[in-house]
Amino acid sequence: MRLLEERIIKDGLVLSDEVLKVDSFLNHQIDVRLLAEMAKEWKRRFSSDQVNKILTIEASGIAIACIAAEIFDCPLVFAKKALTRNIAGAFFQTSVTSFTHETVYEVIVSKRFLGPDDRVLIIDDFLANGAALTGLVKLVKQAGATLVGCGIAIEKSFQKGGDRLRKEGIRIESLARIRSMNQDSGIEFEH
Amino acid sequence: MRLLEERIIKDGLVLSDEVLKVDSFLNHQIDVRLLAEMAKEWKRRFSSDQVNKILTIEASGIAIACIAAEIFDCPLVFAKKALTRNIAGAFFQTSVTSFTHETVYEVIVSKRFLGPDDRVLIIDDFLANGAALTGLVKLVKQAGATLVGCGIAIEKSFQKGGDRLRKEGIRIESLARIRSMNQDSGIEFEH
């Protein structure tokens, strides 16, 4: 999506070959107009999939997913991060290992808000190793819901999460796919 | 706001005299249509205040604040929770004592996203003891920004946060104000 790529070039900060900072428009300060355009693009790509629920994970996915839920005219559910392994049986639950922070956390969704009638589009801001996304996919399966696909803002396609999940048959629509990045030579996108 | 009060009566769960669960429409599963109506109401109340930035705190405030930012047509900034006391000098920072969880955490906002030109409307889902809101107000002051006021979804007016902040001269617009609640007798609103 050209609009997002141009914004990444203009306002993104390449901190290393692996770390891109987009906190001025995507995950600390948020440009809601940009988010609306991104949501419309996902709506275009998933127009015939009868999405009736958007799922994301706190915290940085919530804003993007919220505007997407508006455009798809359906409820948003965000999975919560929990530290304890034993939540009451009222939740779907799985463990996520964060490569970035070298921690393991639990991800939970109330059983009241995800079930067999749901056609779920997962939305998140980043896809790199795919740890969080894999956790969300597991929650959808636990619920017996239908996973329509995943809408990602920025995929670092030089990391392995996207390829691995696509090989499992999961549809992933990333609006900007970064093939490589470097503080000197800048960002190269896949098209 | 009658629409929100009716929804609280219909779908809110009174767990005790102090705890109201609204996770089916406000802070786990989210009804974005309701959020849009709430945002329009805040826009009506703050119509002449030239708001140019919405500020909230992760995670449960983000969805409400995001739709508000759309209606006010301005950027959203969400304060992040951090565990460490010493963040680099690039952030405004204050401590918040959570009564609910009996913990102290740091709240931070990058200095790049809040400054003297900003006319800030703080948005949050709940106001009870006012700990989080007080932290956000402090960040606005540190930045030298103008605090226009606070838009709250649900205020538990039997707790002291709202009164205390209003006495400090802060304008607070809560869309539903709960005077008392009880598992048997239900919820009584202030009007």
Side-chain angles (χ1 to χ4, degrees):
Chain A
M1 188 193 184
R2 185 181 296 269
L3 185 72
L4 180 58
E5 290 179 359
E6 287 173 352
R7 188 60 175 274
I8 292 167
I9 296 289
K10 179 169 165 278
D11 291 330
L13 295 171
V14 178
L15 298 188
S16 74
D17 289 2
E18 298 203 341
V19 179
L20 172 69
K21 199 167 177 176
V22 289
D23 64 349
S24 66
F25 60 97
L26 208 58
N27 52 24
H28 183 16
Q29 179 169 255
I30 289 161
D31 179 345
V32 287
R33 284 190 189 181
L34 174 67
L35 264 49
E37 295 305 316
M38 291 163 56
K40 286 176 201 165
E41 178 63 21
W42 283 314
K43 177 71 181 172
R44 196 182 64 74
R45 297 190 190 186
F46 291 99
S47 59
S48 56
D49 293 282
Q50 296 160 290
V51 171
N52 65 5
K53 198 153 280 184
I54 304 286
L55 176 68
T56 191
I57 183 167
E58 65 179 10
S60 60
I62 297 176
I64 301 177
C66 190
I67 304 290
E70 257 198 322
I71 300 288
F72 281 85
D73 195 22
C74 72
L76 161 68
V77 173
F78 66 88
K80 300 191 176 201
K81 294 175 183 173
L83 293 173
T84 45
R85 224 165 243 281
N86 294 305
I87 308 287
F91 293 88
F92 301 115
Q93 178 174 0
T94 189
S95 299
V96 169
T97 304
S98 165
F99 293 83
T100 318
H101 302 290
E102 293 180 350
T103 51
V104 178
Y105 57 90
E106 299 298 301
V107 180
I108 61 172
V109 167
S110 168
K111 289 180 179 173
R112 291 180 292 143
F113 307 137
L114 211 53
D117 293 336
D118 288 323
R119 296 182 57 80
V120 180
L121 173 62
I122 295 174
I123 296 280
D124 209 358
D125 55 347
F126 271 99
L127 170 55
N129 289 299
L133 204 55
T134 302
L136 292 175
V137 169
K138 282 182 186 164
L139 294 178
V140 173
K141 286 180 182 165
Q142 283 178 32
T146 302
L147 178 63
V148 163
C150 305
I152 302 295
I154 302 172
E155 177 178 347
K156 297 172 184 169
S157 59
F158 56 88
Q159 289 182 280
K160 293 176 179 173
D163 280 353
R164 182 173 49 72
L165 287 159
R166 286 186 183 93
K167 276 180 191 152
E168 291 175 19
I170 293 166
R171 180 174 173 199
I172 297 176
E173 295 287 349
S174 303
L175 302 185
R177 299 183 70 196
I178 296 174
R179 181 186 294 149
S180 68
M181 59 186 187
N182 183 278
Q183 283 184 291
D184 300 320
S185 57
I187 298 170
E188 195 183 350
F189 292 102
E190 310 242 19
H191 284 118
Chain B
M1 187 192 186
R2 183 179 298 268
L3 184 72
L4 178 59
E5 289 178 359
E6 286 173 353
R7 188 62 174 272
I8 293 167
I9 297 289
K10 179 171 166 277
D11 291 330
L13 296 171
V14 178
L15 299 188
S16 74
D17 289 1
E18 299 204 339
V19 178
L20 173 69
K21 200 169 177 177
V22 289
D23 64 349
S24 66
F25 60 98
L26 208 58
N27 52 23
H28 183 15
Q29 178 169 258
I30 290 162
D31 179 345
V32 287
R33 283 189 190 182
L34 174 67
L35 265 47
E37 294 306 315
M38 291 163 57
K40 285 176 202 164
E41 178 63 21
W42 283 316
K43 175 73 180 171
R44 195 182 64 74
R45 297 190 190 187
F46 291 100
S47 60
S48 57
D49 292 283
Q50 297 160 289
V51 172
N52 65 5
K53 198 154 282 184
I54 304 286
L55 176 67
T56 190
I57 184 167
E58 65 179 10
S60 60
I62 296 176
I64 302 177
C66 191
I67 304 291
E70 256 197 323
I71 300 288
F72 280 86
D73 195 22
C74 71
L76 161 68
V77 173
F78 66 87
K80 301 190 174 200
K81 293 174 183 172
L83 293 173
T84 47
R85 222 166 243 281
N86 294 304
I87 310 286
F91 292 87
F92 300 116
Q93 178 175 0
T94 190
S95 299
V96 169
T97 303
S98 166
F99 293 82
T100 318
H101 302 290
E102 293 180 352
T103 52
V104 178
Y105 56 89
E106 300 296 302
V107 180
I108 62 173
V109 167
S110 169
K111 290 182 179 173
R112 291 180 293 142
F113 307 138
L114 211 53
D117 293 336
D118 287 324
R119 295 181 59 80
V120 180
L121 173 61
I122 294 173
I123 297 281
D124 209 357
D125 54 348
F126 270 100
L127 170 56
N129 289 298
L133 204 56
T134 302
L136 292 175
V137 169
K138 281 182 187 167
L139 294 179
V140 172
K141 285 182 181 165
Q142 283 178 32
T146 302
L147 178 63
V148 163
C150 305
I152 302 294
I154 302 172
E155 177 177 347
K156 296 173 184 167
S157 59
F158 56 87
Q159 289 182 282
K160 294 177 179 176
D163 280 351
R164 183 172 47 73
L165 286 159
R166 286 186 183 93
K167 275 182 191 152
E168 292 175 19
I170 293 166
R171 181 175 172 197
I172 297 175
E173 295 287 348
S174 303
L175 301 186
R177 299 184 70 197
I178 296 174
R179 182 186 296 152
S180 67
M181 57 187 189
N182 184 279
Q183 284 185 290
D184 300 319
S185 58
I187 298 170
E188 195 183 351
F189 293 102
E190 309 242 18
H191 287 119

